[in-house]
Amino acid sequence: MSSDLGTPRRPASARVRIDGLSALSGGLAVVLLALLVVPVVALALASSPADLVAGVRDPLFAPALSLSLRTTLVSLLVVVITGTPLSWWLASSRLRLASVVALLVDLPVVIPPAVVGVALLETFGRRGLFGPELHALGVSIPFTTAAVVLAQVVVAAPFFVQAATNAFRKVDLDLLVVARTLGASPGRAFLRVAVPVALPGLLGGAALCWARALGEFGATLLFAGNLPGRTQTMPLAIYTALESDIRAALAISLVLAAVGVALLFVLRAAPGALSRERRLRGVSARVGRS
Amino acid sequence: MSWLVRVCATLGPLELDVDLCGDARPVALVGPNGAGKTTLLRLIAGAYRPQAGRIEVGGRVLFDAAAAVDLPPERRAVGYVPQGYGLFPHLGVADNVAFGLRARGHSGGRRAARLAAERMLDELGCASLAGRRPTELSGGEQQRVALARALVVDPAILLLDEPLAALDASARRQLRRFLADHLRRRARPSIVVTHDARDVLALEAEACVLDAGRVVQRGTADQLRRAPANDFVAELFGG
């Protein structure tokens, strides 16, 4: 029985039972993992360097890249400027209205993007809700670059607002009370304390939001169309290129996939690395003191 | 310098009905968890709004429901050190202490504010911490920095929420002595929340027992030990 010392029995037997399950569940998990990863690998292997160069030189590539960058940066800016105060209110309000608003903000996540496109047409289109007023002002939004931005904002904003609200909720109330008693106005306490403390969460939300805007396809296609140079963003250019030159489609796809992987790294790896680095600095400082 | 806190407030499950006054000597607020001690400090700081009452410090009215006076926290001249100290994690120690000076538009700009912050740290015996991050400090060091940050803007009343609770025994003894010294020399009103009868003794404070939102007893540690109003007081002061 001395061999049992240091290895308690219960966890061991529990592990065996879990192992028994994992033969099946492990197999299922591998199937899913393969479905997630293999296409990305296939995409990376699909084109030779020469194909890539040809794809990048395709007349579809540069305008789509430029339009995607411009529109997503504008929509990110719009989302951050309008979404930050909304998130702050959602995080600090105890009203029942706040939970209703939080639910409304999540709507575009559960509604298919194509439906969002139709809904935007029914709002801003010529026969839409604001159609007559916009027409009277001489403004036409559908099938313009502004429509691209609107579609991206609607589809991507929930990702930022959710993340920002969670980040603001974690800001200790006492930090804000202290800031106020020290003489900070509500605005100063927000900008100098709440925002910096919540910054990792805000940046993560902004990154997710940008990734979602960059990949926007359905709502853009229906509300903004697929006009090269005006509304043809990178996902739409892939759609067009598949019918003409698959090399261009692959090149654009690779760029989008690389951006996605880079964002994933920033989102998942960077905070961990940051806190590790902070811990190390803390340890060295403590050692240095003694 | 006298102060007066008379507040009625309903906040969630807590019904606070408190009538307290004092002078420059520290008041130790004791009571079981959920008695409303932290809430009372936050009411004085202006984080919550009472339904009725009046708060006055040194002849200055901070809140008066009848006269519709309700100064925002930034105009109350209240020094608040919360439980866990509430240091701003994204700022260095010197910038933490200088925060209040900058928020008040300290004459002389950033550098002057930083110098004043460093002088304050020096006064509290922790000048060497100026270049550190709050995450690198021990509990006792964080407490001193939080105190420096509150004191540098010269508040009329100091509110300390369990200033010694998170410290180990030796740090607690050391900081208790330091706090008692400092509050005596400063001779300005202060309210200190504590769970430790030794704090009440060391600070030479008048104890004020809060239970379920009401003051159930006031007196020196000695008086409370001799005639405890309830089991909680008896246990706390070892009567």
Side-chain angles (χ1 to χ4, degrees):
Chain A
M1 283 296 132
S2 64
S3 63
D4 277 349
L5 284 175
T7 42
R9 266 194 185 177
R10 272 177 64 106
S13 67
R15 203 188 311 141
V16 168
R17 228 177 291 153
I18 288 166
D19 280 349
L21 262 182
S22 71
L24 176 62
S25 60
L28 291 172
V30 167
V31 170
L32 180 60
L33 197 61
L35 272 174
L36 297 179
V37 175
V38 171
V40 181
V41 175
L43 179 65
L45 297 176
S47 36
S48 66
D51 285 346
L52 262 184
V53 172
V56 168
R57 284 190 182 148
D58 191 284
L60 278 173
F61 186 90
L65 178 68
S66 148
L67 184 71
S68 266
L69 288 180
R70 279 182 288 133
T71 53
T72 53
L73 286 180
V74 171
S75 39
L76 180 62
L77 206 66
V78 170
V79 169
V80 169
I81 289 172
T82 57
T84 306
L86 178 61
S87 310
W88 177 245
W89 179 74
L90 284 173
S92 44
S93 174
R94 288 185 185 175
L95 301 175
R96 190 170 301 161
L97 180 66
S99 46
V100 175
V101 171
L103 216 62
L104 292 178
V105 169
D106 284 349
L107 264 184
V109 178
V110 290
I111 292 179
V115 177
V116 171
V118 175
L120 283 169
L121 272 176
E122 289 304 318
T123 310
F124 299 106
R126 194 173 295 174
R127 288 194 209 92
L129 207 56
F130 301 134
E133 287 82 359
L134 289 171
H135 186 73
L137 290 170
V139 179
S140 173
I141 293 176
F143 310 107
T144 62
T145 307
V148 175
V149 171
L150 271 175
Q152 289 170 350
V153 166
V154 172
V155 168
F159 292 87
F160 175 76
V161 174
Q162 277 176 0
T165 304
N166 284 335
F168 281 138
R169 276 209 187 102
K170 286 187 199 140
V171 177
D172 186 0
L173 170 71
D174 272 330
L175 289 185
L176 300 164
V177 178
V178 168
R180 294 289 303 278
T181 59
L182 288 171
S185 63
R188 193 182 174 94
F190 174 70
L191 288 175
R192 294 293 167 93
V193 178
V195 168
V197 170
L199 196 61
L202 296 179
L203 289 178
L208 266 182
C209 169
W210 187 57
R212 184 65 192 82
L214 200 61
E216 215 313 292
F217 180 80
T220 311
L221 183 63
L222 272 96
F223 182 47
N226 188 4
L227 311 169
R230 281 184 70 194
T231 70
Q232 191 177 72
T233 54
M234 289 174 84
L236 291 160
I238 293 175
Y239 177 65
T240 302
L242 274 176
E243 289 174 351
S244 53
D245 186 353
I246 190 149
R247 289 176 304 180
L250 283 171
I252 300 168
S253 301
L254 273 175
V255 170
L256 285 177
V259 169
V261 170
L263 277 176
L264 195 64
F265 176 78
V266 170
L267 279 173
R268 295 286 159 82
L274 198 74
S275 65
R276 257 199 307 282
E277 192 238 356
R278 270 194 201 148
R279 262 204 309 279
L280 284 176
R281 261 196 297 162
V283 167
S284 65
R286 231 166 287 142
V287 169
R289 198 195 320 160
S290 57
Chain B
M1 194 167 195
S2 65
W3 56 270
L4 169 153
V5 172
R6 201 165 58 224
V7 287
C8 294
T10 307
L11 289 145
L14 181 71
E15 275 184 44
L16 208 68
D17 185 354
V18 168
D19 191 344
L20 266 181
C21 55
D23 50 24
R25 280 172 303 170
V27 165
L29 206 55
V30 299
N33 287 333
K37 305 183 296 290
T38 297
T39 305
L40 184 59
L41 294 194
R42 286 182 180 165
L43 277 164
I44 300 170
Y48 304 133
R49 192 179 194 285
Q51 272 85 35
R54 182 180 167 90
I55 301 172
E56 209 183 293
V57 177
R60 202 161 151 258
V61 180
L62 308 185
F63 176 84
D64 190 328
V69 176
D70 183 11
L71 296 185
E74 58 268 32
R75 289 179 49 211
R76 291 195 173 200
V78 159
Y80 175 53
V81 178
Q83 221 173 331
Y85 320 125
L87 292 178
F88 304 130
H90 59 292
L91 298 178
V93 165
D95 285 331
N96 258 281
V97 179
F99 185 94
L101 297 170
R102 287 197 193 127
R104 278 152 203 265
H106 187 64
S107 57
R110 285 178 65 98
R111 278 200 53 189
R114 210 186 145 93
L115 282 175
E118 281 168 3
R119 265 201 307 280
M120 190 73 229
L121 282 165
D122 193 29
E123 214 174 291
L124 296 192
C126 43
S128 63
L129 304 179
R132 298 266 187 80
R133 315 278 316 171
T135 46
E136 300 167 5
L137 304 181
S138 72
E141 290 169 336
Q142 286 185 46
Q143 181 58 264
R144 283 174 193 241
V145 172
L147 202 59
R149 181 179 63 176
L151 290 173
V152 77
V153 291
D154 198 23
I157 187 167
L158 195 58
L159 311 173
L160 307 177
D161 197 350
E162 301 209 23
L164 309 170
L167 307 177
D168 62 51
S170 78
R172 190 181 308 162
R173 266 197 305 279
Q174 200 188 344
L175 208 66
R176 184 185 288 134
R177 215 173 311 132
F178 165 81
L179 206 58
D181 268 4
H182 197 85
L183 293 184
R184 199 176 305 121
R185 264 189 290 130
R186 191 174 137 80
R188 290 271 195 107
S190 57
I191 304 178
V192 182
V193 172
T194 177
H195 274 297
D196 193 333
R198 287 169 294 181
D199 296 345
V200 183
L201 278 170
L203 299 178
E204 293 169 18
E206 183 186 18
C208 169
V209 184
L210 204 63
D211 192 9
R214 270 150 229 273
V215 177
V216 293
Q217 193 171 14
R218 296 191 61 166
T220 62
D222 206 36
Q223 287 165 341
L224 266 58
R225 183 172 52 79
R226 265 183 276 153
N230 60 23
D231 290 350
F232 176 83
V233 180
E235 192 162 327
L236 191 66
F237 290 92

